[in-house]
Amino acid sequence: KAGVTQTPRYLIKTRGQQVTLSCSPISGHRSVSWYQQTPGQGLQFLFEYFSETQRNKGNFPGRFSGRQFSNSRSEMNVSTLELGDSALYLCASTLAPSSRGNTIYFGEGSWLTVV
Amino acid sequence: AQKVTQAQTEISVVEKEDVTLDCVYETRDTTYYLFWYKQPPSGELVFLIRRNSFDEQNEISGRYSWNFQKSTSSFNFTITASQVVDSAVYFCALSGSGGVGGGFVFGPGTRLSVLP
């Protein structure tokens, strides 16, 4: 059974640009969450989508957005990139909304560097 | 608000030693879930164990065991007879309705180095 797949794995962007990251969940999983990991702030929750609807959102500015498609694949977008957005972006999937205590399974992440 | 503390920033042990990773959590939820994840250098967080708040029975799974104590809000994780492949960053996480935006709340992680 294939795991969570994230693309691209590595990318470098310039300040002010925007970036789109993609996530394909484990087959049958309908919930996709996104997390940002930085050395200074650790792992922080960005948002969660379930059945194409955003269910939860963390404390991030509106430059961070996402969406989910009917096949449960998800994308997140960061506009007007700042140096501080350099991070590992992790996607996780689970069967039902994660707040119900379900285990979430992570992909390998997308390493974003903003220069 | 929910919070997870992992006081140990880095631990080094020699192969075959037992090692315990500490985790202390804060939550006002009566129902919540606790997890341990492992992050090797590749970046992917690998799920290890899950515990719910109403089951304090401690278990052993292979070389892994955990000690969940609600009275002290602790959820410690032990690796028995450590191996070099256990070297990674280990994260304790909390899930419940009180998390920021509803997502998992992770501790800062403990970097474990197992030396041959």
Side-chain angles (χ1 to χ4, degrees):
Chain A
K1 190 173 183 179
V4 178
T5 304
Q6 293 187 243
T7 57
R9 287 276 287 133
Y10 304 91
L11 65 166
I12 301 174
K13 291 286 188 177
T14 304
R15 268 185 306 175
Q17 286 186 317
Q18 73 165 13
V19 65
T20 298
L21 308 178
S22 179
C23 173
S24 293
I26 292 171
S27 178
H29 285 188
R30 295 168 61 194
S31 170
V32 174
S33 303
W34 290 89
Y35 288 79
Q36 181 197 64
Q37 185 177 22
T38 60
Q41 300 299 319
L43 278 155
Q44 293 185 288
F45 171 69
L46 280 159
F47 31 66
E48 179 180 17
Y49 286 85
F50 179 76
S51 294
E52 302 179 65
T53 302
Q54 186 180 88
R55 282 187 55 89
N56 298 302
K57 191 176 191 306
N59 291 331
F60 279 82
R63 299 186 297 106
F64 292 81
S65 63
R67 59 178 176 169
Q68 186 180 34
F69 303 95
S70 59
N71 60 359
S72 295
R73 190 177 70 85
S74 177
E75 289 181 347
M76 69 162 283
N77 182 277
V78 187
S79 62
T80 318
L81 284 166
E82 300 176 359
L83 295 179
D85 297 332
S86 296
L88 174 64
Y89 290 88
L90 290 158
C91 170
S93 78
T94 187
L95 287 168
S98 62
S99 60
R100 297 180 188 176
N102 300 291
T103 299
I104 58 175
Y105 298 91
F106 286 86
E108 289 187 304
S110 293
W111 295 87
L112 170 65
T113 301
V114 182
V115 298
Chain B
Q2 296 185 331
K3 184 179 179 182
V4 176
T5 302
Q6 294 177 256
Q8 304 152 309
T9 305
E10 293 191 38
I11 300 177
S12 286
V13 299
V14 177
E15 204 170 19
K16 298 184 182 177
E17 285 185 14
D18 298 347
V19 56
T20 295
L21 308 180
D22 298 334
C23 173
V24 173
Y25 63 92
E26 296 176 27
T27 182
R28 293 181 179 177
D29 293 340
T30 54
T31 299
Y32 52 89
Y33 303 84
L34 295 161
F35 301 80
W36 276 97
Y37 285 85
K38 168 184 178 181
Q39 186 176 42
S42 63
E44 177 183 0
L45 268 76
V46 178
F47 165 70
L48 297 175
I49 55 176
R50 169 185 180 271
R51 230 34 213 172
N52 61 52
S53 57
F54 40 89
D55 183 359
E56 288 191 70
Q57 182 178 356
N58 296 309
E59 296 183 15
I60 298 173
S61 175
R63 295 189 299 111
Y64 299 155
S65 62
W66 46 97
N67 188 332
F68 173 39
Q69 293 192 343
K70 287 181 75 171
S71 60
T72 56
S73 297
S74 66
F75 184 50
N76 298 336
F77 175 64
T78 297
I79 303 174
T80 302
S82 60
Q83 300 174 2
V84 173
V85 293
D86 295 327
S87 297
V89 181
Y90 289 80
F91 292 93
C92 179
L94 171 65
S95 173
S97 60
V100 174
F104 278 38
V105 175
F106 285 85
T110 297
R111 181 175 299 277
L112 173 64
S113 298
V114 181
L115 307 175

